[in-house]
Amino acid sequence: MRKVYCDIRKCVSCRTCEIACAVRHSRSGDLYQALREEPRPKRLVRVDASEFGPFPLRCHHCEVAACIDACKTGATRRDPITGKVLIDRDKCVGCWMCVMVCPFGAVFPDMQTGKALKCDLCESHDQPACVASCPTRALFFEEFDEFEAEYKKRRPRSLVRR
Amino acid sequence: MRYLVIGNSAAGINGAEAVRARDPDGAITIVSSEDYPAYSRCLIPYFMEGKVSEDDMLYRPKDYYEANRFEVLLGRTVVSVHPSERAVTLDTGEKLSYDRLLIATGGSPEIPDTPGMDKDGVFGFRTTVDLQGILRVAKSADGAVVLGGGCVGLMAACGLHSMGLKVTVVIRSPHLLSQVADAEAGEIFRRRFEENGVSVITQNDVTEVLGSGKVEAVKLEDGREIPCGIIVVGKGVNPNIDLVKGTDVRTHWGIIVDEELRTSVSDIYAAGDVAETTDVVTGNQTVNAIWPAAAEQGRIAGANMAGAHERYSGSMRMNSAEFFGLPLISTGLVKPRNPEDYEILKRYVAEKNVFRKVVLRDNVLVGAVLVGEIENAGVYAALMRKKVDVSPVKDRLLESGFGFGAILGLVADQKDKFVEPEYREAVLCASE
């Protein structure tokens, strides 16, 4: 399945992906209106610092997804057709079981709305907003094999531990 | 192939689904002593608070059994299992036969044998029957007493409080949440409850339930009497293992299962709150009666019943709850019996109600308590499950922002432990 992958050698931690994600998941879909929305639109990707440089953390839509097992309402399910792991907002009660078990910490508890939030790969769009907006083209939306092959061809800068 | 599943909750449902995924033609029957379609018992307090409707409590859609071609017998209890005949007997006397059996009978609340506990108005906090009873009695009651200060008891307290009852929590231990947190965290929550009008009485117990037929008050050890029309007991659950008594299905606390969740009888499997598994953190055999473990065990047992050989890596004690807007996640061993053998790190920011504690043994994380800030909780759990030496990040474990980014180096260095494909996807860059 196509997922979001990152060539972290190209990520400069500008956090454009975070903003694009929050806007895409806002009610208005517009940056300037989104700024004034209540509850505030939330990002579903988070740029972490790592010893290899910035790392955009997002849901991996795991093959065996602990969040699905843990979800006591049945809100978190795998889409049988696309394979995406999705949370039904209406069913989620904010029990945070998914937050407790996600090994990536990629399910974000929204304390303001009491809903668990995670990357939905921008369900109804061709490309996830993070990928489309990345100014350094560090993010890719493709099959892993495809990403890996291209990744090995690219040599933007060597990766050094800090 | 005829599959029989006893139990209609997390383990049973996920078990039946896993069977169906591998055996489209097998006959699958689900029997449940509860006369209610599959629902999430954890949502009972949310229902009391008016946050979810009765329909929202359903764990699966209404056409679920039909759509999956599950035959379902609700309101029927399996009283005994006959492994040599490959059959079970129902409370009606009827017998059902099977080729593969999944025992997912769950547990029953432990009700103390205190005098008067049999009066009308005493409830567990587990089933829709408990809920209906609570709703019936709550109408005419103005006070409620909750026994037990663990997650279940306190969720019950919140639910009863939201229904307008004057709630008193009575606990044996000196602190709330004594099994899942420590004194500091317990005190944070005690204040939270008291500020919201729930009374907490510690180091005490009910010695007698007073009333003629109906609950009217409880008498405490110190002689105090608390008027109440309702008592909810949240003192843990006992696995429902009676149905295999006297058979070759081995039991201890719960039903003993192997790595494939098979019992000591080869065509019988067990999963969920009735199954005794290995705790990955302590190494002890135990029943970790929690929803996530039940669902996972059900899924693996079901797959194996249909011919797979999936391995269950073990359970882990974990809890997530939120009381009056303050969240708590507790994982692993948080209160070791010999603290001198462990390293305990804590951070408490009183003005923000933020508390974080980690427990390590030989630089391996074995427990974590997060109060207030719970983001990234699963990262701690993964480090525990995989028994990773966390020395390189030890000084960062208590930071608010401690998360996957902080452990990316560990993941890259210890590929033998982080074997799931998603880790490879995440650290591809780092692996070059």
Side-chain angles (χ1 to χ4, degrees):
Chain A
M1 102 183 246
R2 289 202 296 167
K3 300 194 220 173
V4 173
Y5 297 106
C6 178
D7 185 341
I8 59 175
R9 299 168 304 187
K10 299 176 85 180
C11 177
V12 295
S13 195
C14 65
R15 299 177 183 257
T16 304
C17 52
E18 292 187 359
I19 295 169
C21 176
V23 171
R24 173 72 58 83
H25 294 90
S26 67
R27 266 176 294 134
S28 62
D30 172 81
L31 171 62
Y32 298 98
Q33 289 181 59
L35 287 170
R36 313 181 69 153
E37 277 178 27
E38 269 308 320
R40 291 186 65 181
K42 303 292 188 311
R43 47 136 182 79
L44 314 179
V45 53
R46 184 186 74 209
V47 182
D48 268 13
S50 87
E51 59 182 290
F52 303 104
F55 177 81
L57 175 86
R58 69 283 166 198
C59 168
H60 285 260
H61 299 267
C62 299
E63 244 174 62
V64 178
C67 58
I68 297 178
D69 282 340
C71 183
K72 61 192 190 183
T73 64
T76 307
R77 302 294 302 271
R78 188 182 303 280
D79 184 305
I81 296 154
T82 63
K84 293 176 187 176
V85 177
L86 300 172
I87 303 176
D88 178 345
R89 224 188 132 70
D90 293 334
K91 284 209 88 170
C92 174
V93 296
C95 70
W96 318 131
M97 290 275 170
C98 48
V99 175
M100 175 172 77
V101 300
C102 174
F104 293 97
V107 186
F108 307 114
D110 182 355
M111 301 310 291
Q112 201 183 356
T113 58
K115 303 282 177 187
L117 305 175
K118 64 180 263 322
C119 166
D120 55 5
L121 294 171
C122 287
E123 278 192 87
S124 54
H125 293 75
D126 290 343
Q127 263 213 329
C130 55
V131 176
S133 68
C134 179
T136 64
R137 299 278 173 264
L139 293 170
F140 299 82
F141 182 51
E142 50 197 18
E143 299 282 340
F144 182 65
D145 295 349
E146 226 178 318
F147 170 71
E148 189 176 27
E150 283 171 36
Y151 173 82
K152 285 182 173 157
K153 280 187 225 152
R154 281 190 302 271
R155 294 260 174 242
R157 64 180 160 91
S158 59
L159 196 69
V160 190
R161 289 203 185 200
R162 287 147 192 220
Chain B
M1 190 73 93
R2 278 165 309 168
Y3 303 90
L4 181 61
V5 175
I6 314 174
N8 189 32
S9 191
I13 289 295
N14 281 282
E17 285 175 10
V19 169
R20 181 53 84 224
R22 276 166 192 75
D23 187 347
D25 305 319
I28 302 174
T29 303
I30 299 173
V31 188
S32 170
S33 56
E34 290 187 58
D35 193 6
Y36 208 90
Y39 68 97
S40 177
R41 56 183 87 263
C42 320
L43 291 182
I44 290 172
Y46 295 84
F47 179 84
M48 290 162 76
E49 289 173 30
K51 286 183 186 161
V52 301
S53 67
E54 206 174 328
D55 276 357
D56 291 335
M57 285 180 60
L58 295 180
Y59 181 51
R60 291 293 185 255
K62 282 189 165 153
D63 63 349
Y64 172 76
Y65 298 99
E66 243 177 272
N68 288 282
R69 288 167 290 121
F70 295 150
E71 193 194 339
V72 63
L73 300 173
L74 301 180
R76 307 267 199 91
T77 304
V78 173
V79 289
S80 55
V81 179
H82 317 290
S84 55
E85 298 169 48
R86 290 189 168 172
V88 303
T89 303
L90 301 181
D91 50 355
T92 53
E94 194 186 338
K95 273 194 175 179
L96 296 177
S97 59
Y98 61 83
D99 296 311
R100 297 275 186 282
L101 175 67
L102 175 59
I103 302 177
T105 44
S108 298
E110 162 136 10
I111 307 285
D113 53 7
T114 314
M117 275 294 171
D118 53 349
K119 291 191 201 305
D120 184 30
V122 180
F123 303 100
F125 199 63
R126 191 168 169 87
T127 65
T128 53
V129 175
D130 292 330
L131 173 61
Q132 279 149 13
I134 291 168
L135 296 176
R136 169 178 59 84
V137 176
K139 278 183 204 143
S140 54
D142 47 4
V145 164
V146 172
L147 302 184
C151 285
V152 171
L154 295 186
M155 293 290 269
C158 287
L160 293 162
H161 173 80
S162 69
M163 293 169 70
L165 292 155
K166 166 88 193 87
V167 181
T168 306
V169 179
V170 179
I171 59 172
R172 186 69 274 166
S173 40
H175 307 286
L176 290 180
L177 299 160
S178 64
Q179 304 285 319
V180 298
D182 55 2
E184 278 133 305
E187 282 311 298
I188 297 173
F189 282 102
R190 181 193 183 123
R191 278 200 304 279
R192 195 78 170 185
F193 274 86
E194 289 177 343
E195 281 161 14
N196 282 279
V198 174
S199 310
V200 178
I201 298 176
T202 55
Q203 289 171 291
N204 216 317
D205 210 346
V206 170
T207 52
E208 194 182 349
V209 178
L210 308 173
S212 51
K214 287 197 296 188
V215 173
E216 284 164 21
V218 294
K219 193 170 186 181
L220 301 185
E221 269 173 5
D222 60 10
R224 259 186 290 179
E225 280 183 21
I226 303 172
C228 63
I230 192 163
I231 298 173
V232 174
V233 185
K235 283 183 166 288
V237 293
N238 296 316
N240 293 327
I241 57 175
D242 283 352
L243 73 173
V244 296
K245 284 260 164 74
T247 71
D248 290 340
V249 177
R250 284 181 56 214
T251 58
H252 175 229
W253 304 108
I255 295 178
I256 296 170
V257 290
D258 65 13
E259 281 187 328
E260 292 190 3
L261 298 169
R262 196 188 292 254
T263 68
S264 52
V265 175
S266 68
D267 41 18
I268 303 180
Y269 295 72
D273 295 0
V274 75
E276 181 173 321
T277 56
T278 307
D279 184 292
V280 288
V281 172
T282 63
N284 296 335
Q285 290 298 306
T286 185
V287 177
N288 273 316
I290 53 169
W291 188 276
E296 184 184 9
Q297 290 168 17
R299 178 168 56 71
I300 292 172
N304 293 340
M305 285 163 71
H309 290 283
E310 291 186 11
R311 286 182 54 222
Y312 181 58
S313 58
S315 57
M316 211 163 128
R317 195 206 61 75
M318 45 172 72
N319 280 103
S320 163
E322 191 178 310
F323 307 111
F324 298 110
L326 188 64
L328 160 78
I329 289 182
S330 159
T331 314
L333 183 63
V334 297
K335 273 181 33 181
R337 236 175 254 158
N338 314 308
E340 61 279 8
D341 296 338
Y342 296 82
E343 187 176 356
I344 295 175
L345 309 173
K346 291 183 195 186
R347 183 168 66 92
Y348 179 27
V349 188
E351 65 277 14
K352 285 187 180 168
N353 272 333
V354 166
F355 176 80
R356 195 169 287 228
K357 166 181 169 176
V358 293
V359 182
L360 301 113
R361 180 158 198 175
D362 302 328
N363 293 318
V364 172
L365 198 62
V366 297
V369 180
L370 308 182
V371 176
E373 288 172 348
I374 54 165
E375 207 161 300
N376 303 311
V379 174
Y380 294 88
L383 292 172
M384 285 177 219
R385 189 171 270 281
K386 294 177 182 300
K387 303 190 190 308
V388 178
D389 184 329
V390 296
S391 333
V393 296
K394 203 153 96 177
D395 56 342
R396 300 193 51 196
L397 288 170
L398 295 177
E399 285 175 13
S400 295
F402 180 81
F404 190 72
I407 68 159
L408 200 61
L410 291 178
V411 175
D413 289 339
Q414 304 191 39
K415 293 203 189 68
D416 56 321
K417 288 191 170 156
F418 295 94
V419 291
E420 290 79 359
E422 291 79 15
Y423 285 113
R424 196 170 111 72
E425 292 171 9
V427 298
L428 173 65
C429 304
S431 65
E432 292 297 288

